[in-house]
Amino acid sequence: MTEATATAAETGHHLYPLIGDLGLILMTAGVAVLLFKKIRQPLVLGYLIAGFLAGPYFEFFPSVKDKHNVEVWAEIGVIILLFSLGLEFSFKKLMRVGGSASVTAIVQITSMIGLGYLTGQLMGWSQMDSIFLGAILSISSTTIIIRAFEEAGVKTQKFAGIVFGALIIEDIVAILLLVLLTTISVSQQFSGMELLGSAFKLVFFLILWFVGGIFFVPTLFKKLSKLLNEETTLILSLAMCLMMVILAEKAGFSPALGAFIMGSIIAETTKAERIEHLVKPVKDLFGAVFFVSVGMLINPETLVEYWFPVLIITLVTIVGKTLSTTLGAILSGQPLKQSVQAGMSLAQIGEFSFIIATLGMTLGVTSEFLYPIIVAISAITTFTTPFFIKSSGQFYDILQKILPNRLLKWIENYSYSTQTIQSASDWKIFIKANVTQILLHSVIIVGVIVLSSKFIFPVSEASHINKILVSCGIILLLSPFLWALALRRVAVTAMDHIRRDRKYKGPVTLILVLRVCLALFYIGLLLNNFFSPMVAMGALAVLVAGGFLFPSRMRRYYYYLENHFMNNFNSREIHQRIKNRSELTPWDGHMAVFEVPQESSIAGKTLYELHLREDLGINIAIIKRGEKTINVPPRTEKIFPNDTLYVIGSDEQVVAFEKYLEATRQQDDTGNTEVVLKKISLGSSGFIGKSIREAQLRERTNGLVVGIERGNERIMNPESEMVLKRNDVLWLVGDKKLLENLF
């Protein structure tokens, strides 16, 4: 036999198990998918069962021959799965997540981490098993919840918004847990300072990667747009994903983190939807391989041996997540019904739980029995989730009957009191703007300094001339960011208001001086890498003088970079807006978006009362109110503060509407008007027998009547001609002081 023939035979021998195992996995997965699609059950559960059938613990079915190959595919599956999750995620979504969802998620996550750890310790497990169990139980399944919501038809209900917001927070926390658990596993220590350092390191790299990615990635797609077809777009996006995976691993983080970050960066580009569509088949393929590989680890003997821990942890998961989520939602100000519905929706574990369990097994810090136990719990809670979601309304009715009236009244009053709309103080605005300014620019500057000291300084160390040229080049590169950190004015209006109050003049000056000192410190830190401390101090003085001599050039350069970043960051929305214009307005008109000011006088009025079409010639095509979107609103629809209006008209008409909207702002001299949603019982009030218009409630409270409870009937947005009756319960939005004085 020739050498080439032998090599070919040897290659064929190695390829056969790889191809055979993949064929076996996909065949069993395909049958499971069709079966579970038929019986309307989550596909994840089908993949787990397929993995069990193809695994080494089921002897009546052919098993995979090379387990190592499957593990490699599973790791690729995790990367592609996290990349796809990143494409669906958006930093804008994270910023728009309300306080309710954030508080709900944080309470649930911290409670389940503690409860899971305590459960593991009580069962006699090791400390690492208990820590990983707590992390695993803290994350719910986005895939299972979305599928269950679609089948139950509850995606548009109020509690669904709380659940989706909580899932976004959980995704971020899951990434953080992967980093922290890796640190704990490697060091085998539980030092608070070390964990805090890891968290700071994670935040630092997240900001650096995000800013750099948003600055360069959308620009790259724009430059290459003429060359991008489906094939090149898919290859380029996957290449960028794997590039970030390598960077994350070099920085000491998990590959999954890099994949998620790159996905979230691409999610802000105009190509996001197209890439998400192209990556979906790849995600489905490798995601199936990942979940099948999880199912292959199900050992029936282990489950029989550990049936009691499976039962206990399942009960802890269902009861603990239901109670903690419900408690978190109540603390965030949600009514009891929505809180119970959200709690019963999040009572399961899923994708990230498998990834965390895989991490523990890969690092060799968790016991072998933990993985199959987690798989069994996931399977059970996957079955129970749809039932829990459908029965949450009935369970709330039962709670109303068995809970003390005093407790129900307290929850109701607490929910009303937290639904208070109050404008942020000038001091809060000033502090937030300056903290953002310091954090963002410090990360950019320190990132450049660290990279230069690691890669550029060793090259330039041989010659003083090289040191001078390199240091000048780096400082020139950093000059706009140093100027912004030290001298750029932010929250100007708020700062002027604060300075009028002499009491806060000192703190404002201190913050401004701190920003200048930080900029000087960073320059000195950079120069100290290239020169001796004395030379660095002299060079620092020269650079400071140069900064004061040429501030305008630094400012122009900075604003150019900032505009480029913001254009990239908003490119997807701008592209969508242009697309909407072309689809909805094929004539001279176009669509523009406005937000109704909180203090606008048009708030509370119907479209019929405003006569916008007759007076200004514009049409309101869409009203977006929080999670609710009203397409082609009727003339009886009222405008509320902070509504987003999608207005169609010509350039002149849109400009006229913008001026009209600005002119409707009601100036408040006190600056501290507090608008509240208040529930008021009329009893035997003098308003009985009068219509809402005759009672002049809107004028007297600077607000509006948003609802009336009359016996068992609830009337939303009552007409102004409705006559008030004895024992009516009014829901009013208005000035807190005026409401208290009137009633």
Side-chain angles (χ1 to χ4, degrees), residues 78-84 86-87 91 175 178-179 202 205-206 209-210 237-266:
V78 171
I79 291 172
I80 301 298
L81 191 64
L82 267 293
F83 180 60
S84 300
L87 288 172
F91 285 95
I175 294 295
L178 287 174
V179 177
L202 174 63
F205 277 101
L206 282 177
W209 286 335
F210 171 70
S237 58
L238 291 178
M240 295 172 72
C241 167
L242 296 178
M243 178 194 71
M244 186 59 79
V245 164
I246 296 171
L247 287 177
E249 192 174 22
K250 293 290 184 182
F253 299 115
S254 66
L257 173 65
F260 183 84
I261 291 298
M262 181 52 70
S264 62
I265 291 172
I266 293 178

Side-chain angles (χ1 to χ4, degrees), residues 1-16:
M1 182 182 293
T2 64
E3 184 177 348
T5 307
T7 303
E10 186 179 352
T11 303
H13 175 71
H14 284 296
L15 279 176
Y16 171 73

Side-chain angles (χ1 to χ4, degrees), residues 561-611:
L561 296 176
E562 184 181 59
N563 290 335
H564 181 78
F565 176 86
M566 294 308 299
N567 286 335
N568 283 350
F569 187 56
N570 297 316
S571 59
R572 187 174 183 180
E573 282 73 12
I574 295 171
H575 176 75
Q576 189 64 42
R577 196 176 302 170
I578 295 172
K579 183 180 177 182
N580 288 339
R581 289 178 183 176
S582 62
E583 290 176 352
L584 294 176
T585 58
W587 61 93
D588 186 42
H590 66 278
M591 179 177 287
V593 182
F594 298 94
E595 183 172 336
V596 178
Q598 185 173 316
E599 66 276 14
S600 175
S601 61
I602 70 172
K605 295 183 180 180
T606 64
L607 297 178
Y608 176 75
E609 293 172 326
L610 294 174
H611 300 289

Side-chain angles (χ1 to χ4, degrees), residues 689-711:
K690 296 181 179 180
S691 68
I692 295 175
R693 184 191 301 276
E694 292 170 341
Q696 294 186 324
L697 293 176
R698 178 181 297 168
E699 293 77 9
R700 295 184 180 192
T701 62
N702 195 20
L704 62 147
V705 181
V706 296
I708 296 178
E709 292 183 16
R710 182 171 290 169

Side-chain angles (χ1 to χ4, degrees), residues 57 297-310 368-373:
Y57 303 107
L297 298 173
I298 299 177
N299 187 346
E301 295 180 359
T302 304
L303 294 180
V304 171
E305 181 181 356
Y306 291 94
W307 69 269
F308 185 70
V310 169
E368 292 183 359
F369 61 78
L370 180 62
Y371 207 103
I373 286 176

Side-chain angles (χ1 to χ4, degrees), residues 175-233:
I175 294 295
L176 178 62
L177 285 175
L178 287 174
V179 177
L180 295 182
L181 289 173
T182 302
T183 303
I184 293 174
S185 302
V186 172
S187 64
Q188 292 291 317
Q189 295 178 356
F190 310 102
S191 168
M193 291 303 297
E194 186 174 350
L195 293 180
L196 188 63
S198 298
F200 275 119
K201 180 182 176 184
L202 174 63
V203 171
F204 174 82
F205 277 101
L206 282 177
I207 295 175
L208 190 64
W209 286 335
F210 171 70
V211 172
I214 292 296
F215 192 85
F216 291 108
V217 172
T219 305
L220 178 64
F221 279 118
K222 289 176 185 176
K223 297 291 185 184
L224 300 177
S225 58
K226 294 182 179 179
L227 304 176
L228 293 178
N229 54 24
E230 290 191 353
E231 180 182 0
T232 54
T233 302

Side-chain angles (χ1 to χ4, degrees), residues 136-414:
I136 287 167
L137 299 187
S138 66
I139 308 298
S140 302
S141 172
T142 304
T143 304
I144 294 171
I145 289 173
I146 290 176
R147 177 64 183 272
F149 276 10
E150 289 175 349
E151 292 178 353
V154 297
K155 287 182 70 174
T156 58
Q157 293 188 18
K158 183 179 179 181
F159 79 93
I162 305 170
V163 172
F164 289 136
L167 289 172
I168 291 174
I169 302 297
E170 285 189 6
D171 286 345
I172 294 296
V173 173
I175 294 295
L176 178 62
L177 285 175
L178 287 174
V179 177
L180 295 182
L181 289 173
T182 302
T183 303
I184 293 174
S185 302
V186 172
S187 64
Q188 292 291 317
Q189 295 178 356
F190 310 102
S191 168
M193 291 303 297
E194 186 174 350
L195 293 180
L196 188 63
S198 298
F200 275 119
K201 180 182 176 184
L202 174 63
V203 171
F204 174 82
F205 277 101
L206 282 177
I207 295 175
L208 190 64
W209 286 335
F210 171 70
V211 172
I214 292 296
F215 192 85
F216 291 108
V217 172
T219 305
L220 178 64
F221 279 118
K222 289 176 185 176
K223 297 291 185 184
L224 300 177
S225 58
K226 294 182 179 179
L227 304 176
L228 293 178
N229 54 24
E230 290 191 353
E231 180 182 0
T232 54
T233 302
L234 176 62
I235 293 173
L236 179 62
S237 58
L238 291 178
M240 295 172 72
C241 167
L242 296 178
M243 178 194 71
M244 186 59 79
V245 164
I246 296 171
L247 287 177
E249 192 174 22
K250 293 290 184 182
F253 299 115
S254 66
L257 173 65
F260 183 84
I261 291 298
M262 181 52 70
S264 62
I265 291 172
I266 293 178
E268 307 298 342
T269 69
T270 58
K271 303 290 184 183
E273 294 178 357
R274 186 181 182 189
I275 292 173
E276 188 177 345
H277 172 73
L278 293 174
V279 170
K280 189 177 184 303
V282 183
K283 178 196 77 172
D284 292 340
L285 173 63
F286 285 102
V289 173
F290 168 70
F291 288 114
V292 168
S293 70
V294 171
M296 290 171 58
L297 298 173
I298 299 177
N299 187 346
E301 295 180 359
T302 304
L303 294 180
V304 171
E305 181 181 356
Y306 291 94
W307 69 269
F308 185 70
V310 169
L311 178 62
I312 294 297
I313 297 173
T314 300
L315 292 175
V316 168
T317 301
I318 294 174
V319 177
K321 290 177 82 73
T322 300
L323 291 178
S324 60
T325 305
T326 302
L327 176 62
I330 290 174
L331 291 176
S332 71
Q334 294 300 317
L336 180 61
K337 182 177 182 179
Q338 280 77 37
S339 301
V340 171
Q341 289 175 313
M344 296 183 72
S345 300
L346 290 167
Q348 80 289 123
I349 58 175
E351 305 84 13
F352 266 117
S353 301
F354 293 140
I355 294 171
I356 293 173
T358 303
L359 176 67
M361 185 179 64
T362 304
L363 296 174
V365 294
T366 55
S367 304
E368 292 183 359
F369 61 78
L370 180 62
Y371 207 103
I373 286 176
I374 297 306
V375 173
I377 295 166
S378 174
I380 296 171
T381 54
T382 298
F383 273 122
T384 59
T385 294
F387 172 76
F388 270 54
I389 293 173
K390 292 176 183 177
S391 61
S392 58
Q394 292 88 335
F395 187 71
Y396 164 72
D397 295 334
I398 296 173
L399 281 180
Q400 272 194 314
K401 296 177 181 178
I402 63 176
L403 289 179
N405 288 331
R406 183 178 296 180
L407 178 60
L408 292 173
K409 196 68 177 176
W410 180 87
I411 294 174
E412 187 179 10
N413 292 334
Y414 177 78

